Amino acid sequence: MVKVAVVEGDGIGHEVIPVARAVLAAVRPDIEFFDVEVGYGLWERTGCACSEETIAGLGSADAILFGAVTTPPDPGYRSVMLQIRHTLDLYANVRPIRGEGVDVVIVRENTEGLYSGVEWTEPDRACTVRVVSRRGSERIARYACTLAKSRRHLTVGNKANVLKSDCLFVDTCTREAARAGVPCTARYIDALSLDLLMHPDRYDVIVTTNIFGDILSDAAAYLVGGLGMLPSANIGERAALFEPVHGSAPDIAGRNVANPVAAIRSAAMLLSHIGDPASATAVEEAVGRVLCADIRTPDLGGSAGTREFGAAVLREVGQGKA
Ligand code: NAD
Ligand code: IPM
Ligand code: MN
Protein backbone atom coordinates (compact mmCIF):
# COMPACT_ATOMS: atom_id res chain seq x y z
CA MET A 1 0.00 0.00 0.00
CA VAL A 2 1.37 3.41 -1.01
CA LYS A 3 0.33 6.39 1.12
CA VAL A 4 0.07 9.75 -0.65
CA ALA A 5 -0.73 12.96 1.22
CA VAL A 6 -2.72 15.42 -0.88
CA VAL A 7 -2.55 19.17 -0.25
CA GLU A 8 -4.67 21.34 -2.52
CA GLY A 9 -3.60 24.54 -0.75
CA ASP A 10 -5.11 27.76 -2.11
CA GLY A 11 -6.38 29.25 -5.37
CA ILE A 12 -6.03 27.01 -8.42
CA GLY A 13 -4.58 24.29 -6.18
CA HIS A 14 -8.26 23.42 -5.55
CA GLU A 15 -8.73 22.90 -9.30
CA VAL A 16 -5.54 21.30 -10.65
CA ILE A 17 -4.86 18.91 -7.76
CA PRO A 18 -8.18 17.01 -7.97
CA VAL A 19 -7.36 16.38 -11.63
CA ALA A 20 -3.83 15.14 -10.85
CA ARG A 21 -5.13 13.00 -8.02
CA ALA A 22 -7.76 11.39 -10.27
CA VAL A 23 -5.04 10.53 -12.80
CA LEU A 24 -2.90 8.96 -10.03
CA ALA A 25 -5.87 6.98 -8.75
CA ALA A 26 -6.61 5.73 -12.28
CA VAL A 27 -3.13 4.36 -12.90
CA ARG A 28 -2.50 3.17 -9.33
CA PRO A 29 -5.75 2.04 -7.66
CA ASP A 30 -3.66 0.78 -4.73
CA ILE A 31 -2.69 4.29 -3.61
CA GLU A 32 -4.24 5.35 -0.32
CA PHE A 33 -4.78 9.13 -0.32
CA PHE A 34 -5.20 11.34 2.72
CA ASP A 35 -6.06 15.03 2.58
CA VAL A 36 -4.11 17.66 4.47
CA GLU A 37 -5.18 21.28 4.71
CA VAL A 38 -2.55 24.04 4.85
CA GLY A 39 -2.28 27.55 3.48
CA TYR A 40 -3.58 31.05 3.53
CA GLY A 41 -7.25 30.01 3.56
CA LEU A 42 -6.63 27.95 6.69
CA TRP A 43 -4.70 30.86 8.26
CA GLU A 44 -7.61 33.25 7.61
CA ARG A 45 -10.00 30.84 9.35
CA THR A 46 -7.83 29.62 12.22
CA GLY A 47 -4.81 31.94 12.52
CA CYS A 48 -2.43 29.06 11.73
CA ALA A 49 -1.42 28.25 8.12
CA CYS A 50 0.45 25.05 8.93
CA SER A 51 1.38 23.45 12.25
CA GLU A 52 4.43 21.31 13.07
CA GLU A 53 2.07 18.34 13.63
CA THR A 54 0.63 18.84 10.16
CA ILE A 55 4.13 18.73 8.68
CA ALA A 56 4.91 15.60 10.69
CA GLY A 57 1.77 14.07 9.15
CA LEU A 58 2.98 15.00 5.67
CA GLY A 59 6.35 13.43 6.47
CA SER A 60 4.66 10.12 7.30
CA ALA A 61 3.43 9.71 3.71
CA ASP A 62 5.38 7.87 1.01
CA ALA A 63 4.96 10.99 -1.12
CA ILE A 64 3.14 14.32 -1.06
CA LEU A 65 1.10 15.76 -3.93
CA PHE A 66 0.95 19.53 -3.39
CA GLY A 67 -0.96 22.28 -5.19
CA ALA A 68 0.09 25.81 -4.28
CA VAL A 69 -0.28 28.17 -1.36
CA THR A 70 -0.87 31.89 -1.35
CA THR A 71 1.85 33.84 0.48
CA PRO A 72 0.85 37.41 1.31
CA PRO A 73 3.83 39.81 1.45
CA ASP A 74 3.18 40.40 5.16
CA PRO A 75 6.33 40.54 7.32
CA GLY A 76 4.51 38.64 10.07
CA TYR A 77 3.57 35.70 7.85
CA ARG A 78 5.92 32.78 7.33
CA SER A 79 5.70 31.03 3.95
CA VAL A 80 4.14 27.59 4.40
CA MET A 81 6.12 26.27 1.48
CA LEU A 82 9.43 27.27 3.03
CA GLN A 83 8.34 25.89 6.41
CA ILE A 84 7.60 22.49 4.82
CA ARG A 85 10.81 22.44 2.75
CA HIS A 86 12.93 23.31 5.80
CA THR A 87 11.22 21.01 8.29
CA LEU A 88 11.24 17.97 5.99
CA ASP A 89 14.72 18.95 4.72
CA LEU A 90 13.62 18.71 1.07
CA TYR A 91 16.99 19.89 -0.20
CA ALA A 92 16.72 19.19 -3.94
CA ASN A 93 14.15 21.04 -6.03
CA VAL A 94 14.11 19.33 -9.42
CA ARG A 95 12.40 21.20 -12.26
CA PRO A 96 12.40 19.49 -15.67
CA ILE A 97 11.68 21.73 -18.67
CA ARG A 98 10.68 19.53 -21.59
CA GLY A 99 9.07 20.45 -24.86
CA GLU A 100 9.93 20.72 -28.51
CA GLY A 101 13.72 21.09 -28.81
CA VAL A 102 14.02 21.57 -25.06
CA ASP A 103 15.18 19.02 -22.50
CA VAL A 104 16.71 20.75 -19.49
CA VAL A 105 16.55 19.99 -15.78
CA ILE A 106 17.05 22.78 -13.26
CA VAL A 107 18.30 21.45 -9.93
CA ARG A 108 17.73 24.14 -7.35
CA GLU A 109 19.23 24.07 -3.85
CA ASN A 110 16.09 24.25 -1.72
CA THR A 111 16.99 24.88 1.91
CA GLU A 112 19.45 27.76 2.18
CA GLY A 113 20.85 30.64 0.07
CA LEU A 114 18.64 33.70 0.31
CA TYR A 115 15.93 31.46 1.80
CA SER A 116 18.06 30.53 4.80
CA GLY A 117 15.53 32.18 7.13
CA VAL A 118 18.34 34.20 8.72
CA GLU A 119 16.80 37.66 8.52
CA TRP A 120 15.74 40.52 10.71
CA THR A 121 14.14 43.92 10.49
CA GLU A 122 15.55 47.05 12.12
CA PRO A 123 13.86 50.47 12.14
CA ASP A 124 15.70 51.68 9.02
CA ARG A 125 16.84 48.56 7.28
CA ALA A 126 15.98 44.91 6.85
CA CYS A 127 18.58 42.18 6.34
CA THR A 128 18.45 38.72 4.81
CA VAL A 129 21.58 36.59 5.07
CA ARG A 130 22.52 34.47 2.06
CA VAL A 131 23.90 31.32 3.63
CA VAL A 132 25.72 28.84 1.38
CA SER A 133 27.21 25.98 3.36
CA ARG A 134 29.69 23.34 2.23
CA ARG A 135 27.33 20.57 3.32
CA GLY A 136 24.37 22.17 1.53
CA SER A 137 26.40 22.71 -1.63
CA GLU A 138 27.90 19.22 -1.59
CA ARG A 139 24.61 17.43 -1.33
CA ILE A 140 22.91 19.41 -4.09
CA ALA A 141 26.02 19.07 -6.28
CA ARG A 142 25.99 15.30 -5.77
CA TYR A 143 22.30 15.14 -6.62
CA ALA A 144 22.85 17.13 -9.81
CA CYS A 145 25.93 15.12 -10.79
CA THR A 146 24.13 11.80 -10.35
CA LEU A 147 21.42 13.10 -12.67
CA ALA A 148 23.91 14.58 -15.17
CA LYS A 149 25.88 11.32 -15.26
CA SER A 150 22.93 9.55 -16.90
CA ARG A 151 22.40 12.53 -19.23
CA ARG A 152 25.03 14.84 -20.78
CA HIS A 153 26.59 17.63 -18.75
CA LEU A 154 26.26 20.11 -15.92
CA THR A 155 26.11 23.91 -15.84
CA VAL A 156 26.58 25.74 -12.53
CA GLY A 157 24.48 28.93 -12.46
CA ASN A 158 26.16 31.45 -10.17
CA LYS A 159 27.26 34.98 -9.43
CA ALA A 160 30.73 34.19 -8.08
CA ASN A 161 32.08 37.35 -9.72
CA VAL A 162 30.28 39.30 -6.99
CA LEU A 163 29.20 36.97 -4.20
CA LYS A 164 31.69 35.19 -1.94
CA SER A 165 28.97 32.67 -1.09
CA ASP A 166 28.89 31.63 -4.74
CA CYS A 167 32.66 31.05 -4.86
CA LEU A 168 32.08 28.26 -2.35
CA PHE A 169 29.11 26.98 -4.35
CA VAL A 170 30.96 26.89 -7.69
CA ASP A 171 34.10 25.31 -6.16
CA THR A 172 32.05 22.60 -4.53
CA CYS A 173 30.01 21.82 -7.65
CA THR A 174 33.10 21.80 -9.88
CA ARG A 175 34.88 19.42 -7.52
CA GLU A 176 31.88 17.05 -7.28
CA ALA A 177 31.52 17.06 -11.08
CA ALA A 178 35.20 16.16 -11.53
CA ARG A 179 34.82 13.35 -8.99
CA ALA A 180 31.73 12.04 -10.80
CA GLY A 181 33.34 12.40 -14.25
CA VAL A 182 30.63 14.84 -15.40
CA PRO A 183 31.58 17.62 -17.87
CA CYS A 184 30.91 20.88 -16.05
CA THR A 185 30.84 24.60 -16.93
CA ALA A 186 30.20 27.53 -14.59
CA ARG A 187 28.08 30.38 -16.03
CA TYR A 188 27.00 33.67 -14.50
CA ILE A 189 23.29 33.54 -13.83
CA ASP A 190 22.39 36.77 -15.66
CA ALA A 191 24.00 35.76 -18.96
CA LEU A 192 22.86 32.18 -18.46
CA SER A 193 19.22 33.27 -18.15
CA LEU A 194 19.25 34.86 -21.58
CA ASP A 195 21.34 32.13 -23.20
CA LEU A 196 18.99 29.44 -21.90
CA LEU A 197 16.06 31.17 -23.61
CA MET A 198 17.98 31.74 -26.86
CA HIS A 199 19.83 28.40 -27.04
CA PRO A 200 18.14 25.82 -24.85
CA ASP A 201 19.97 23.06 -26.74
CA ARG A 202 23.21 24.19 -25.06
CA TYR A 203 21.90 23.15 -21.65
CA ASP A 204 21.24 19.84 -19.96
CA VAL A 205 21.36 19.82 -16.14
CA ILE A 206 21.67 23.24 -14.47
CA VAL A 207 22.47 23.36 -10.77
CA THR A 208 22.08 26.63 -8.91
CA THR A 209 21.32 28.27 -5.58
CA ASN A 210 17.84 28.74 -4.18
CA ILE A 211 16.51 32.03 -5.50
CA PHE A 212 18.40 31.89 -8.81
CA GLY A 213 16.72 28.53 -9.44
CA ASP A 214 13.34 30.00 -8.51
CA ILE A 215 13.63 32.82 -11.02
CA LEU A 216 15.34 30.80 -13.75
CA SER A 217 12.65 28.11 -13.72
CA ASP A 218 9.74 30.54 -14.14
CA ALA A 219 11.61 32.25 -17.00
CA ALA A 220 12.41 28.88 -18.60
CA ALA A 221 8.70 28.09 -18.71
CA TYR A 222 8.64 30.50 -21.65
CA LEU A 223 10.33 27.76 -23.72
CA VAL A 224 7.55 25.22 -23.29
CA GLY A 225 4.25 27.10 -23.17
CA GLY A 226 4.29 28.85 -19.82
CA LEU A 227 3.87 28.15 -16.13
CA GLY A 228 0.94 25.80 -16.61
CA MET A 229 3.36 23.22 -18.03
CA LEU A 230 6.18 22.88 -15.46
CA PRO A 231 6.22 20.20 -12.76
CA SER A 232 8.67 19.86 -9.89
CA ALA A 233 9.90 17.50 -7.22
CA ASN A 234 11.19 18.53 -3.78
CA ILE A 235 13.37 15.68 -2.62
CA GLY A 236 14.86 14.91 0.80
CA GLU A 237 16.35 11.82 2.41
CA ARG A 238 13.11 10.90 4.16
CA ALA A 239 10.31 12.70 2.31
CA ALA A 240 9.40 13.89 -1.18
CA LEU A 241 6.87 16.49 -2.32
CA PHE A 242 5.62 16.97 -5.87
CA GLU A 243 4.07 20.27 -7.00
CA PRO A 244 3.61 22.45 -10.05
CA VAL A 245 6.22 25.22 -10.36
CA HIS A 246 3.42 27.78 -10.54
CA GLY A 247 1.64 29.36 -7.60
CA SER A 248 -1.98 29.71 -6.55
CA ALA A 249 -2.79 32.09 -9.45
CA PRO A 250 -5.50 34.14 -7.69
CA ASP A 251 -6.11 36.06 -10.93
CA ILE A 252 -7.68 33.00 -12.58
CA ALA A 253 -8.77 30.92 -9.58
CA GLY A 254 -12.26 29.44 -9.42
CA ARG A 255 -12.99 29.74 -13.16
CA ASN A 256 -12.08 26.24 -14.40
CA VAL A 257 -9.45 27.70 -16.74
CA ALA A 258 -6.19 26.72 -15.00
CA ASN A 259 -3.92 24.41 -16.95
CA PRO A 260 -3.58 21.16 -14.98
CA VAL A 261 -0.61 19.83 -17.00
CA ALA A 262 2.00 20.98 -14.46
CA ALA A 263 0.07 19.24 -11.67
CA ILE A 264 -0.45 16.05 -13.72
CA ARG A 265 3.25 15.99 -14.66
CA SER A 266 4.11 16.44 -10.97
CA ALA A 267 1.99 13.37 -10.30
CA ALA A 268 4.02 11.54 -12.98
CA MET A 269 7.22 12.52 -11.16
CA LEU A 270 5.66 11.16 -7.97
CA LEU A 271 5.01 7.84 -9.74
CA SER A 272 8.67 7.58 -10.76
CA HIS A 273 9.71 8.37 -7.22
CA ILE A 274 7.60 5.55 -5.74
CA GLY A 275 9.27 3.14 -8.17
CA ASP A 276 6.71 3.07 -10.97
CA PRO A 277 8.38 4.65 -14.02
CA ALA A 278 6.07 2.72 -16.38
CA SER A 279 2.98 4.47 -15.00
CA ALA A 280 4.87 7.78 -15.04
CA THR A 281 5.57 7.32 -18.75
CA ALA A 282 1.95 6.29 -19.41
CA VAL A 283 0.74 9.53 -17.78
CA GLU A 284 3.27 11.68 -19.67
CA GLU A 285 2.25 10.06 -22.95
CA ALA A 286 -1.45 10.50 -22.21
CA VAL A 287 -0.86 14.24 -21.62
CA GLY A 288 1.11 14.39 -24.88
CA ARG A 289 -1.70 12.75 -26.86
CA VAL A 290 -4.33 15.11 -25.42
CA LEU A 291 -2.22 18.16 -26.32
CA CYS A 292 -1.63 16.73 -29.82
CA ALA A 293 -5.40 16.36 -30.23
CA ASP A 294 -5.55 20.13 -29.67
CA ILE A 295 -7.38 19.87 -26.40
CA ARG A 296 -5.82 22.78 -24.52
CA THR A 297 -6.63 25.24 -21.78
CA PRO A 298 -6.82 29.00 -22.58
CA ASP A 299 -3.19 29.72 -21.56
CA LEU A 300 -2.19 27.49 -24.50
CA GLY A 301 -4.67 29.15 -26.84
CA GLY A 302 -7.41 26.53 -26.41
CA SER A 303 -10.86 26.56 -24.90
CA ALA A 304 -10.86 23.40 -22.78
CA GLY A 305 -11.60 23.79 -19.08
CA THR A 306 -9.40 22.35 -16.32
CA ARG A 307 -11.89 19.54 -15.68
CA GLU A 308 -12.45 18.82 -19.38
CA PHE A 309 -8.71 18.58 -19.98
CA GLY A 310 -8.46 16.23 -17.00
CA ALA A 311 -11.28 14.06 -18.33
CA ALA A 312 -9.46 13.79 -21.68
CA VAL A 313 -6.25 12.66 -19.94
CA LEU A 314 -8.21 10.11 -17.93
CA ARG A 315 -9.70 8.69 -21.15
CA GLU A 316 -6.21 8.42 -22.67
CA VAL A 317 -4.76 6.81 -19.57
CA GLY A 318 -7.60 4.26 -19.63
CA GLN A 319 -6.93 3.47 -23.27
CA GLY A 320 -3.21 3.14 -22.63
CA LYS A 321 -3.94 0.42 -20.12
CA ALA A 322 -6.35 -1.53 -22.33
P1 NAD B 1 1.55 32.30 -10.12
O1 NAD B 1 2.46 31.22 -10.58
O2 NAD B 1 0.46 31.92 -9.19
O3 NAD B 1 0.90 33.03 -11.40
C1 NAD B 1 1.66 33.76 -12.34
C2 NAD B 1 0.84 33.93 -13.64
O4 NAD B 1 0.77 32.65 -14.30
C3 NAD B 1 -0.60 34.36 -13.37
O5 NAD B 1 -1.01 35.24 -14.38
C4 NAD B 1 -1.37 33.05 -13.45
O6 NAD B 1 -2.71 33.20 -13.86
C5 NAD B 1 -0.56 32.25 -14.46
N1 NAD B 1 -0.64 30.81 -14.18
C6 NAD B 1 -0.02 30.16 -13.17
N2 NAD B 1 -0.34 28.87 -13.18
C7 NAD B 1 -1.19 28.68 -14.21
C8 NAD B 1 -1.87 27.54 -14.72
N3 NAD B 1 -1.77 26.32 -14.17
N4 NAD B 1 -2.67 27.71 -15.78
C9 NAD B 1 -2.80 28.92 -16.37
N5 NAD B 1 -2.17 30.04 -15.93
C10 NAD B 1 -1.38 29.91 -14.86
O7 NAD B 1 2.48 33.41 -9.45
P2 NAD B 1 2.09 34.76 -8.68
O8 NAD B 1 0.88 35.37 -9.29
O9 NAD B 1 3.32 35.51 -8.64
O10 NAD B 1 1.76 34.29 -7.21
C11 NAD B 1 0.46 34.05 -6.72
C12 NAD B 1 0.54 33.46 -5.31
O11 NAD B 1 1.09 32.15 -5.36
C13 NAD B 1 1.44 34.27 -4.38
O12 NAD B 1 0.84 34.32 -3.10
C14 NAD B 1 2.72 33.47 -4.33
O13 NAD B 1 3.43 33.64 -3.13
C15 NAD B 1 2.18 32.05 -4.44
N6 NAD B 1 3.12 31.05 -4.96
C16 NAD B 1 3.08 29.82 -4.38
C17 NAD B 1 3.87 28.80 -4.88
C18 NAD B 1 3.83 27.45 -4.20
O14 NAD B 1 2.94 27.19 -3.42
N7 NAD B 1 4.74 26.55 -4.48
C19 NAD B 1 4.67 29.02 -6.00
C20 NAD B 1 4.67 30.30 -6.58
C21 NAD B 1 3.88 31.30 -6.06
C1 IPM C 1 8.28 28.28 -5.91
C2 IPM C 1 7.67 29.45 -5.20
C3 IPM C 1 8.17 29.52 -3.77
C4 IPM C 1 9.65 29.85 -3.82
C5 IPM C 1 7.44 30.52 -2.85
C6 IPM C 1 5.98 30.34 -2.84
C7 IPM C 1 7.97 30.38 -1.44
O1 IPM C 1 7.89 30.62 -5.90
O2 IPM C 1 8.15 27.13 -5.44
O3 IPM C 1 8.85 28.46 -6.99
O4 IPM C 1 10.02 31.04 -3.88
O5 IPM C 1 10.42 28.92 -3.78
MN1 MN D 1 8.74 30.30 -7.88
Side-chain angles (χ1 to χ4, degrees):
M1 177 65 76
V2 181
K3 266 183 15 185
V4 172
V6 180
V7 180
E8 293 182 1
D10 298 305
I12 61 168
H14 294 299
E15 298 166 70
V16 297
I17 290 302
V19 170
R21 174 191 182 141
V23 172
L24 272 185
V27 295
R28 287 291 299 257
D30 60 320
I31 290 181
E32 185 187 301
F33 294 99
F34 65 99
D35 290 289
V36 177
E37 191 182 1
V38 308
Y40 188 56
L42 183 65
W43 181 79
E44 282 183 314
R45 285 205 325 277
T46 67
C48 175
C50 179
S51 67
E52 291 299 317
E53 299 81 67
T54 302
I55 300 184
L58 289 175
S60 74
D62 294 302
I64 305 159
L65 177 66
F66 194 96
V69 284
T70 299
T71 312
D74 170 344
Y77 188 93
R78 185 170 177 217
S79 159
V80 167
M81 203 56 238
L82 298 194
Q83 199 186 339
I84 294 172
R85 288 174 185 163
H86 278 133
T87 309
L88 298 180
D89 200 23
L90 304 173
Y91 70 92
N93 194 326
V94 184
R95 301 187 153 184
I97 296 113
R98 285 201 192 95
E100 241 179 67
V102 186
D103 181 6
V104 173
V105 185
I106 296 173
V107 177
R108 162 185 179 193
E109 199 293 318
N110 212 26
T111 57
E112 49 182 37
L114 267 182
Y115 289 22
S116 65
V118 183
E119 51 187 354
W120 65 93
T121 304
E122 299 169 11
D124 295 317
R125 62 173 196 166
C127 304
T128 298
V129 179
R130 185 178 198 263
V131 177
V132 174
S133 71
R134 188 173 302 283
R135 170 179 173 267
S137 304
E138 267 172 10
R139 64 180 182 171
I140 197 67
R142 278 191 199 128
Y143 191 98
C145 286
T146 304
L147 186 62
K149 190 125 182 100
S150 64
R151 294 173 53 105
R152 294 182 292 129
H153 54 84
L154 182 70
T155 304
V156 188
N158 71 93
K159 199 77 187 173
N161 48 341
V162 188
L163 302 172
K164 297 282 174 278
S165 45
D166 263 3
C167 296
L168 174 65
F169 188 74
V170 174
D171 278 356
T172 310
C173 292
T174 309
R175 198 168 317 177
E176 287 300 328
R179 199 194 313 256
V182 169
C184 174
T185 315
R187 292 295 306 268
Y188 296 133
I189 194 72
D190 43 0
L192 164 58
S193 303
L194 176 62
D195 203 43
L196 175 62
L197 297 188
M198 292 185 75
H199 305 286
D201 52 299
R202 291 181 180 164
Y203 295 93
D204 182 32
V205 178
I206 300 173
V207 66
T208 190
T209 49
N210 209 336
I211 210 163
F212 291 164
D214 179 40
I215 298 168
L216 190 65
S217 52
D218 268 33
Y222 173 74
L223 293 166
V224 294
L227 274 178
M229 305 297 278
L230 292 194
S232 78
N234 295 251
I235 307 286
E237 296 297 336
R238 291 174 310 280
L241 180 152
F242 301 83
E243 59 169 347
V245 167
H246 64 71
S248 56
D251 55 337
I252 58 164
R255 290 170 27 209
N256 192 38
V257 293
N259 185 347
V261 169
I264 300 171
R265 285 183 167 160
S266 301
M269 292 181 83
L270 185 157
L271 288 164
S272 286
H273 178 79
I274 62 170
D276 190 356
S279 296
T281 305
V283 169
E284 278 289 349
E285 288 178 354
V287 169
R289 287 196 298 276
V290 171
L291 291 171
C292 275
D294 250 343
I295 300 174
R296 290 155 195 254
T297 44
D299 55 309
L300 298 178
S303 58
T306 311
R307 288 190 291 273
E308 290 65 36
F309 187 95
V313 172
L314 280 173
R315 279 196 299 278
E316 286 295 332
V317 161
Q319 275 164 21
K321 272 170 44 177

